[in-house]
Amino acid sequence: MTPQQDQPEGRALKDAADRRLMPEVEADNAAQRKTVAILKRALKAAETHNEKAVDLALKAVAADPSSGLAHHVAGVTLDRAGRLSQALQHYENAWRLTPENADIYQNLGLVAWKLDMVDAAEKFFRLYRKMRPNSTDGAINLAGALRDKGQFDDAAQILQTSVYANMAEPTLWNALGTVLLESGDPGQAVTFYNEAIRLDPDFARGWHNLAYALDLIGDLPGAISAFENALESPASTGDAAEMRHGLAHTLLADGQVARGWDEYAVRLTRDYNKSTVFLIKAPRWEGDTGELKGKRVLLVGEQGLGDEILFMNAARDLQDAIGPDGELMIACTRRLVPLFQRSFPDAHVGQHGTFEAEGKKFRAVTWLEEHGGCDVWLPMGELARAFRGETAAFPDRSGYMTPDPERVAAIKAQLDAIGPGPKVGIVWKSMLMTTQRSKFFSPFEQWRSVLETPGVSFVSLQYGDTADELARAEADYGVKIHQLDDLDLKDDLDGVAALGAALDLSIGPMNASTNLAASTGADVWFIAYKSHWPLLGAGRLLWYPQTRAFSPENWGDWKSTMGDIASALKQRLSKEKAA
């Protein structure tokens, strides 16, 4: 749920093969001439039709399996089509057949990078740099891999050296800006993105990255303008989709809700590289609420757990639009089925099934036909577009999920046994703390001012490996963070919802645990940047009107933010004691 960031830099071999390698090919016989002719057609087709290009390239491989160029072009077309594992295989074949071809190493690195094999990507990029030491693409790609490994100084040094030799190359300034941004300095990154754009005013990716940086530092009008400039000259339909997705998040963060939801629909298109392919044999609902009455409607979860919980804020509006003569069916993550079924007893709730293939995520609802099928279906995010088209459309009511009352009572008894005083649940990190994601979370040491609040018993809502933080809190801060040993915080989401409802307060960033607690009507203090799109420019979570949001005034100022939370917690305790 963070703004979209730049994709791996560098150019796929399409340009290099088309403009440099193909003219150098000498065909010694009719079979080779035929192969080369097919490859030229494949590269031409790749400009507009990826699958046709793939078919032609694989036909060329079948005609001449010993052709390194055929395997190379097959890798290019498969790469562009998103069939990454197959692309990697053909690039490896091309490397074995023509190891002197430097471009193969770059393309091997790019595919490995896309597959999150960053160490392998770095290795291939270093080999490419040895063969082409003056290549700007080589510098950009190697620096990008090092950036993603958190080696920011090494990445910056490579790019600075290349910049001094190529001062007028905008892609180098852009890449250096991205290194600074990912290291936690988006304000400084803006300077480098602006220089890239000065050098090339039509540099769409530079505008896109400038928009992203401006969004992070809270200049939302500037970010919107930069996204609009980026969309004037995108390099591809995929880039355009990514830019629209980023624009959608920024519009939502700026409170331009209706336009934001319209742009957000790009996530459902095939051009968007993170789109989900829904395998449902029924028409997708087009958005006319008047057409829902009396229909059998399937609502399908999309994206992450937190998103599924958040968007269900409008599920009752959907039920009302369907009416008593229709039926609502809900396909959600397996772990959410008990909670959703209890919360929407008139609906039929089951799990969706998800699998990934060739870099794409596919989602199916296997029980749908057995249940009689549906007239229309819609992804959960479309609920917001249909029923939350303006901030005034959010109802001022707390809680739309119903936790298990028996489990809430049992957990309350466990919490009472800890001792007197309020019980406060805390979450401090993501399950996936990559270099890119970590900047959105307060470092654990900044929690000290909160944890040292006297009279409070803290309870962990954090799933994953927490041993180091729990030990540090007790050893360094003298604070025991309690755990409920019989509750699986990762898989037992019905139990997590009950825990959230039983606690006096929960504090943390937006994740499954805090969203679950808030959805039950429980008191939650969210930690989020002001430009985090679910805030919708309101400074609080309209989805959960009983909650509060704490945001850094300046990028990365977690110390002040956690200090504000500590002060607010002490004030709350004082008021409760006075009452």
Side-chain angles (χ1 to χ4, degrees):
M1 297 169 66
T2 60
Q4 294 299 293
Q5 67 179 20
D6 197 16
Q7 294 300 303
E9 302 286 353
R11 302 171 180 88
L13 182 64
K14 194 274 167 193
D15 289 337
D18 200 7
R19 298 174 186 173
R20 185 173 64 248
L21 295 181
M22 293 302 294
E24 297 176 1
V25 174
E26 294 184 5
D28 296 329
N29 53 54
Q32 288 183 356
R33 285 194 291 273
K34 179 180 179 182
T35 300
V36 170
I38 295 172
L39 291 175
K40 288 182 176 179
R41 288 170 57 201
L43 290 169
K44 182 65 176 177
E47 297 176 4
T48 57
H49 198 302
N50 282 338
E51 290 303 324
K52 182 179 179 181
V54 168
D55 290 342
L56 287 167
L58 293 179
K59 183 178 178 181
V61 168
D64 188 358
S66 65
S67 169
L69 181 61
H71 284 285
H72 201 174
V73 175
V76 170
T77 58
L78 287 161
D79 187 350
R80 289 167 62 89
R83 294 159 64 175
L84 300 182
S85 60
Q86 287 179 274
L88 188 60
Q89 178 183 345
H90 283 281
Y91 283 145
E92 288 177 347
N93 290 339
W95 163 63
R96 291 189 181 94
L97 291 164
T98 53
E100 73 285 354
N101 186 341
D103 288 315
I104 296 174
Y105 296 94
Q106 172 156 272
N107 282 274
L108 279 166
L110 288 168
V111 172
W113 198 0
K114 292 175 185 177
L115 291 169
D116 292 326
M117 300 161 58
V118 185
D119 288 337
E122 178 191 349
K123 176 182 176 181
F124 289 126
F125 292 149
R126 288 193 183 279
L127 290 169
Y128 177 80
R129 285 265 288 169
K130 283 185 178 180
M131 300 175 76
R132 292 214 176 121
N134 298 322
S135 167
T136 56
D137 280 358
I140 289 168
N141 287 329
L142 177 56
L146 294 172
R147 175 198 74 200
D148 285 0
K149 294 176 67 174
Q151 297 174 219
F152 299 115
D153 290 343
D154 292 340
Q157 184 176 5
I158 289 170
L159 290 169
Q160 287 167 352
T161 301
S162 196
V163 163
Y164 291 141
N166 303 273
M167 295 292 288
E169 177 51 59
T171 59
L172 289 167
W173 293 93
N174 175 66
L176 191 50
T178 300
V179 170
L180 289 166
L181 185 147
E182 295 296 0
S183 71
D185 193 354
Q188 184 68 14
V190 167
T191 301
F192 290 87
Y193 291 143
N194 276 327
E195 178 62 12
I197 294 165
R198 185 190 70 79
L199 291 167
D200 181 2
D202 295 324
F203 184 24
R205 177 146 291 184
W207 281 111
H208 168 262
N209 289 345
L210 174 63
Y212 180 50
L214 292 172
D215 182 292
L216 290 179
I217 63 176
D219 182 1
L220 299 180
I224 291 169
S225 177
F227 272 125
E228 290 171 341
N229 283 330
L231 283 163
E232 290 182 4
S233 55
S236 66
T237 56
D239 277 2
E242 184 185 0
M243 292 164 185
R244 282 188 58 200
H245 193 270
L247 174 60
H249 277 174
T250 305
L251 288 167
L252 292 170
D254 196 45
Q256 299 185 48
V257 179
R259 185 185 170 197
W261 292 135
D262 285 344
E263 295 289 351
Y264 192 53
V266 74
R267 76 195 186 283
L268 302 172
T269 66
R270 287 184 177 272
D271 287 331
Y272 181 54
N273 68 336
K274 296 181 182 177
S275 65
T276 298
V277 179
F278 293 91
L279 305 176
I280 300 172
K281 295 180 180 179
R284 199 176 87 196
W285 180 53
E286 297 295 331
D288 185 349
T289 56
E291 294 179 353
L292 293 172
K293 189 171 183 179
K295 297 292 180 63
R296 292 171 57 82
V297 179
L298 173 67
L299 179 64
V300 186
E302 55 171 309
Q303 302 177 65
L305 282 170
D307 300 275
E308 289 196 19
I309 299 159
L310 185 83
F311 289 133
M312 287 297 287
N313 172 281
R316 288 199 174 89
D317 299 74
L318 178 62
Q319 273 191 312
D320 291 342
I322 294 169
D325 296 328
E327 182 183 12
L328 173 62
M329 294 166 278
I330 303 171
C332 60
T333 301
R334 172 188 57 79
R335 291 174 286 168
L336 290 173
V337 170
L339 178 65
F340 279 26
Q341 186 64 80
R342 186 184 310 108
S343 304
F344 299 90
D346 295 331
H348 177 84
V349 181
Q351 72 179 70
H352 53 59
T354 302
F355 65 93
E356 293 192 16
E358 296 298 340
K360 274 292 184 182
K361 183 167 66 175
F362 296 83
R363 181 155 293 175
V365 182
T366 57
W367 50 264
L368 180 60
E369 294 305 316
E370 294 179 6
H371 194 68
C374 65
D375 296 312
V376 294
W377 71 276
L378 68 151
M380 282 184 183
E382 292 300 276
L383 287 174
R385 191 180 186 189
F387 300 106
R388 300 292 182 263
E390 56 183 351
T391 55
F394 284 80
D396 188 19
R397 62 171 183 254
S398 299
Y400 51 86
M401 292 294 180
T402 306
D404 184 339
E406 293 183 1
R407 295 195 71 176
V408 173
I411 290 174
K412 275 186 176 291
Q414 287 181 274
L415 296 175
D416 289 342
I418 291 174
K423 312 302 183 298
V424 177
I426 59 169
V427 182
W428 58 87
K429 65 181 179 181
S430 168
M431 186 79 170
L432 182 65
M433 289 295 283
T434 62
T435 300
Q436 290 80 7
R437 288 174 60 83
S438 61
K439 60 181 174 288
F440 295 100
F441 298 85
S442 171
F444 185 73
E445 55 267 23
Q446 299 295 350
W447 279 81
R448 182 167 189 163
S449 60
V450 176
L451 293 173
E452 291 182 338
T453 305
V456 176
S457 295
F458 291 96
V459 179
S460 176
L461 280 168
Q462 181 68 60
Y463 46 82
D465 185 4
T466 60
D468 288 347
E469 293 94 339
L470 297 180
R472 192 189 319 170
E474 195 155 5
D476 297 346
Y477 314 155
V479 176
K480 180 177 178 59
I481 300 175
H482 298 272
Q483 293 179 289
L484 300 187
D485 295 331
D486 58 345
L487 178 58
D488 185 335
L489 293 171
K490 183 176 185 295
D491 287 328
D492 185 5
L493 297 186
D494 206 23
V496 173
L499 172 57
L503 289 163
D504 296 295
L505 173 67
S506 296
I507 305 173
M510 291 194 73
N511 75 344
S513 298
T514 50
N515 274 281
L516 280 168
S519 72
T520 69
D523 200 357
V524 178
W525 290 356
F526 289 103
I527 306 171
Y529 281 105
K530 291 180 180 179
S531 60
H532 195 29
W533 72 261
L535 295 175
L536 303 177
R540 62 190 182 94
L541 273 297
L542 300 175
W543 315 83
Y544 315 118
Q546 81 281 5
T547 67
R548 292 180 64 179
F550 290 81
S551 304
E553 284 298 323
N554 299 304
W555 173 261
D557 187 10
W558 293 115
K559 184 176 181 180
S560 296
T561 305
M562 301 311 291
D564 291 342
I565 294 173
S567 297
L569 188 55
K570 290 174 183 175
Q571 291 175 8
R572 176 180 173 132
L573 291 175
S574 297
K575 289 181 181 178
E576 289 177 355
K577 288 179 180 178

